[in-house]
Amino acid sequence: MGQFFEDPLDRVDGRLKVTGAARYFAEYDLPDMTFAVMATSAITRGKILTIDTKSAERAPGVLDVLTYLNMPSIPGWQSDPSKPAPQAALGGERYRVLGSDQILFNGQPIALVVADSLERAQYAASLIKATYQKASFETDLEKNKDKGQTVRGPRGADYNRGDANAYKTAAVQLEQEYTIPIETHNPMELHGIIASWKGNDSITVYAKTQGVKSTQQSLMNAFKLDQKNVQVFSEFVGGGFGMALRTWPQEILVAAAAKKIGRPVKLVMSRDQMFTMVGYRPFSIQQIKLGSTKEGQLTGLVHEALSQTSSYEDFAEGTVNMSKFMYACDNVATKYRIVPLDIGVPIWMRGPGEATGAFALETAMDEMAYKLNMDPIALRLKNYTETDPERNRPYSSKYVKEAYQLGAEKIGWFKRNPAPRSMKDGEWLVGYGMSSGVFNASRGEANCRAVVKDDGTLLLQSAASDIGPGTGTAMVQIAHEVLGYPVDKISFELGNSTFPPAPSQGGSTTTSTVGSAVHIACSSLKNKIVNLLLEKGGSDYAGKTAADFTFSDGNVRAGNVSVSIASLLKQQNLPALEVTENSKAGPDQQKYSMYSFSIHFAEVRVHPKTGVVRVKRVVTVADSGKIISPKTAASQMIGGVTGGIGMALMEESVIDHRYGRFINNNFADYHVPVSADIPHIDTIFIDKPDPVINPMGAKGMGEIALIGFAAAVGNAVYHATGKRIRELPITPDKLIE
Amino acid sequence: MKEKNPGTEENKGSSRRTFFKQSSAIAALALTPVSIVKASEKGLDEKIASAFEKMPLRVEINSKAYSLEVEPRVTLLDLLREQLHLTGTKKGCDHGQCGACTVHVDGRRVNSCLTLAVTTEGKKVITIEGLAKGEELHPVQQAFIQFDGFQCGYCTPGQIMSAVCCIREGHANDPDQVREFMSGNICRCGAYSNIVDAVMHAKKGGQQI
């Protein structure tokens, strides 16, 4: 093995992406393709009284119009749609698309038009007319704070360590509330699906999904199909950020329509529908209560979070997790509650709940540092812990002290004047802020097929996904390191449900989980090759043992004898050698707490007259174990920072609560960062392998890139202006004087 | 262009053309949308709709001449993606707000989702598929790979088409200028800082852009 993961590799699918040859779900052309467009509810809660589809049905090219009146029954949906939706906190999905006349949220589909061209489907959908009986509704979390419900199950339980009231008697106390609005994932690729049936019991879909196996399972469940009769393809995914972690009801609807009309149906949702039907980061209100000694030792920490879910389904996430283990503190209490509202159900959005929680905790830590007249890094070091105080066990690896140091040096942290509103650049106020992020690192179960062929290539297959981080690139790197094949001779295929199973891409687990399967499969191939040589290689290999063999450049060497694997296969009349291996975590992992950490620094300019905030410089440091693919890993980090800048300064999905409708459901009004908003971003990797998590020593990185970053910006704004903004996003109106 | 799915009998290209030529009385009807609507309601809809919905379009796309019949409501983006299967050009918003659909029309960068296909009559359209010279990538494409100016890749064709014009327009003289003149192209993965590096590299590389 050569230098371990030292060579930055260009993205293996880069050429396909820069030439337009990469095919995303909507770009598969099937014979007899038809086009679907959804008409959606104009009210927020109530029922459909009449729905007139006649004009749509008679419009040119229309093949079918589905409403709740003629929706085919879905065998896997056994619940009685005439029954009212259950109360929240009971769990389980009860919303059935076109399942009844009931309207549960604004923008809910009320009809699906299928036509022979996109334009004809769009026009016909505009002809659908419905009348409704309106019912009262609630879409405003701030007006329904008293309706919080406990989430069922251990993950929803309140957490207590020591005395929850300890902060009340501390020498220095802080109690603050932090609010984060609804944010919408808005990947650039619109959501949708292509569904095509063969007969009544076999379906192929091209999906926008973060997990082909998960989509396959959803279709199997809905239509009661055998696994072998459900094929899901999703080779390229135009971003997900969490919204493609489940199969949404409208995907099942399209599959049902395709079955009914006997032709392939393609749905590509519109951008405004991306706000209502495919989840979002839920609105949240958080309280942090901190108590500290005058020297900065935390003596009490309470973190309470209120978040929203839908009326028909629970959604819960790890908003309060970080407070349980990030800092040494004997007295910690957390509570998490959800309020059912008449909006579609949320879903994890990058960094998920942990990013929501980190904004609150890491802003509060900054506030406490200023109260104590301490440096924010010094406060964090004072409460640093080498063991996980939640589970009372060591971290598998933690290089956070080093990360503070590297980041602080790079941005010039200690050269700043720490006093608020003390630094200027012309008429702009200058501020520095820092924060931390942390996310669970784990290794799940995955499978990988690996084939060396007599043409000198290595093929790897796993039903993994790549929504953008560069999964294929990392997997090729791992295979290259283990089996010594040149990277251009290795291909990694994913996004196909017929490949060996792998989990969905989410929670920063793919490199660890699928990477381990690749590692094991390549190691297993190595053994096969060694055994082949020992058994059939002749006298050159007499007396050798497995330890005598080394692999590089597609060759295997023992002592002075080197042979290319391709020619070995030819000599042995073997077209290929193949293995399929399963990989999962060992019991050792239960002895450690495994986390990836990020330490963020931001330098901002704030214009005192206009309230404009510009992020001028960013340094972000990741302790995510060994870096497998330096180039794509750096991209993950700058992407997370960019998302964090959006969260801090501009992202907010606004509902007009009089009507329950999103009013900024487009890219002109829902602001995401554009190039002019993003400075140069320095990424630093600790790049030390975690000794426990997996054979590569790689922890995860996608989530920590974003987690905490919004707090770094907010803290920098405070340093610049002396104003603490606890309600995201930090828009100019909140800063203007 | 032929109907891709000649499923309904009345809807075939040849009969439509014949119908159109022979029927000057009905052609006059085209000027009276209300009449069309009424005719449509009386069940003549499919024939009449087909006759009046399509217009001839001659356009050069990626140096290839096309002679098409398209409905006036068809956008250049949907023509490229759904009819010509040039799917490198992406739909991100359909409202001219994200830049994913950026193509060149007579050398200018435009949002193809806001461009009705029929307005490109006689024009030259270049899409991402027409940027490389055979196997040889355009310098901007090469720079995007080198600087990892993308992640999921969905906004990438639009970014690259925009970047090529940004350089040609003389708007790539420094990173801040690139940031400003590339701000019509959203990248949700957040590859901007690498994109700026890639554009500056391509500009400084001295190759013909």
Side-chain angles (χ1 to χ4, degrees), chain A residues 15 17 631 635 651 673, chain B residues 135 146 148 151-152 188 192:
Chain A
R15 193 181 175 94
K17 286 179 174 174
K631 210 173 218 182
S635 285
E651 293 192 35
Chain B
E135 286 299 294
Q146 187 181 340
D148 210 34
Q151 289 171 41
C152 80
R188 191 61 166 144
Y192 296 124

Side-chain angles (χ1 to χ4, degrees), chain A residues 10-11 14-15 17-20 22 24 27 29 32-33 35 58 60-61 116 118-120 123 184-186 188-190 237-239 241 263 266 271 349 467-468 631-632 635 638-639 642 651 666-668 672-676 678-680, chain B residues 4-5 11 41 45-46 49-50 53 71 73-74 78 81-82 85 87-88 90-94 97-98 128-129 135-137 141 144-146 148 150-157 160 179-180 182-183 186 188-194 196:
Chain A
D10 287 341
R11 215 168 269 264
R15 193 181 175 94
K17 286 179 174 174
V18 301
T19 56
Y24 300 79
E27 297 164 1
D29 181 37
D32 280 341
M33 184 77 91
F35 299 81
R58 284 163 47 186
D116 61 4
L118 173 62
E119 292 78 13
R120 287 171 154 192
Y123 174 64
T184 307
H185 306 65
N186 275 320
M188 295 312 298
E189 182 192 31
L190 297 161
V237 179
F241 315 110
R263 285 171 67 173
K266 168 156 74 172
R271 181 54 65 183
M349 179 165 163
I467 55 172
K631 210 173 218 182
T632 54
S635 285
I638 67 168
T642 303
E651 293 192 35
N666 60 75
F667 271 139
V672 300
V674 297
S675 197
I678 303 302
H680 177 75
Chain B
K4 194 169 52 169
N5 301 317
N11 195 19
E41 282 172 359
D45 56 333
E46 189 61 33
S50 299
E53 276 173 3
E71 295 178 9
R73 62 184 169 181
V74 173
D78 288 332
R81 281 178 68 82
E82 304 299 347
H85 306 295
T87 54
K90 305 302 184 195
K91 181 179 283 190
C93 70
D94 224 12
Q97 297 166 341
C98 79
I128 190 71
E129 289 93 343
E135 286 299 294
E136 187 194 341
L137 293 180
Q141 290 173 312
F144 267 65
I145 293 177
Q146 187 181 340
D148 210 34
F150 50 86
Q151 289 171 41
C152 80
Y154 196 80
C155 74
T156 311
I160 290 173
R179 286 188 183 99
E180 195 64 34
M182 286 297 289
S183 277
I186 297 175
R188 191 61 166 144
C189 296
Y192 296 124
S193 62
N194 287 355
V196 172

Side-chain angles (χ1 to χ4, degrees), chain A residues 53-368:
Chain A
T53 57
K54 281 197 201 78
S55 306
E57 283 160 9
R58 284 163 47 186
V62 170
L63 300 162
D64 207 346
V65 179
L66 293 181
T67 69
Y68 78 94
L69 295 167
N70 65 346
M71 172 73 180
S73 75
I74 307 291
W77 291 357
Q78 290 168 344
S79 66
D80 183 351
S82 65
K83 286 184 184 161
Q87 291 185 344
L90 294 178
E93 180 191 328
R94 292 298 295 265
Y95 156 60
R96 302 302 191 201
V97 62
L98 305 190
S100 76
D101 58 357
Q102 297 295 311
I103 299 297
L104 301 176
F105 59 95
N106 213 307
Q108 176 183 323
I110 57 168
L112 182 82
V113 175
V114 184
D116 61 4
S117 83
L118 173 62
E119 292 78 13
R120 287 171 154 192
Q122 283 169 334
Y123 174 64
S126 75
L127 301 176
I128 298 206
K129 290 189 177 63
T131 59
Y132 306 91
Q133 180 183 317
K134 289 184 190 174
S136 63
F137 59 85
E138 298 293 339
T139 54
D140 189 350
L141 184 69
E142 290 183 296
K143 283 201 179 146
N144 291 278
K145 285 183 187 176
D146 57 334
K147 294 182 189 151
Q149 304 186 13
T150 306
V151 180
R152 295 264 172 115
R155 290 206 301 176
D158 293 351
Y159 174 78
N160 279 294
R161 173 166 91 230
D163 175 11
N165 290 318
Y167 76 95
K168 290 180 182 167
T169 53
V172 184
Q173 295 170 29
L174 176 92
E175 267 193 73
Q176 289 297 352
E177 185 170 284
Y178 305 87
T179 304
I180 301 176
I182 292 175
E183 294 164 7
T184 307
H185 306 65
N186 275 320
M188 295 312 298
E189 182 192 31
L190 297 161
H191 196 60
I193 193 166
I194 294 173
S196 175
W197 288 80
K198 192 173 159 191
N200 273 330
D201 65 350
S202 177
I203 186 172
T204 297
V205 302
Y206 298 85
K208 177 180 175 73
T209 176
Q210 293 176 230
V212 286
K213 295 303 285 184
S214 142
T215 299
Q216 181 188 46
Q217 189 65 51
S218 296
L219 289 163
M220 286 161 57
N221 294 348
F223 294 97
K224 304 266 186 210
L225 298 173
D226 290 342
Q227 188 178 58
K228 65 176 170 30
N229 288 347
V230 180
Q231 287 190 308
V232 181
F233 296 106
S234 182
E235 187 182 0
F236 288 95
V237 179
F241 315 110
M243 54 69 61
L245 276 169
R246 67 179 285 177
T247 304
W248 295 99
Q250 58 273 16
E251 297 179 74
I252 302 298
L253 169 59
V254 171
K259 189 174 186 182
K260 183 167 180 231
I261 69 165
R263 285 171 67 173
V265 177
K266 168 156 74 172
L267 171 73
V268 176
M269 286 166 49
S270 57
R271 181 54 65 183
D272 59 298
Q273 292 173 345
M274 299 288 285
F275 286 74
T276 51
M277 275 184 243
V278 288
Y280 50 89
R281 186 191 302 284
F283 197 109
S284 63
I285 301 164
Q286 301 178 72
Q287 262 94 33
I288 300 274
K289 298 159 187 172
L290 284 180
S292 171
T293 65
K294 283 180 180 161
E295 295 74 34
Q297 182 62 56
L298 292 179
T299 54
L301 196 178
V302 175
H303 187 168
E304 295 172 348
L306 190 69
S307 185
Q308 74 184 97
T309 187
S310 64
S311 64
Y312 55 86
E313 187 180 334
D314 284 359
F315 174 76
E317 53 185 351
T319 308
V320 296
N321 286 358
M322 181 177 180
S323 291
K324 300 173 191 171
F325 62 83
M326 187 65 189
Y327 299 111
C329 179
D330 291 336
N331 304 298
V332 175
T334 69
K335 275 195 178 115
Y336 178 76
R337 299 287 184 269
I338 52 174
V339 177
L341 295 173
D342 298 308
I343 315 176
V345 71
I347 197 167
W348 305 280
M349 179 165 163
R350 192 174 187 178
E354 284 78 355
T356 303
F359 170 69
L361 178 64
E362 289 297 291
T363 306
M365 287 295 282
D366 200 67
E367 296 194 55
M368 181 55 93

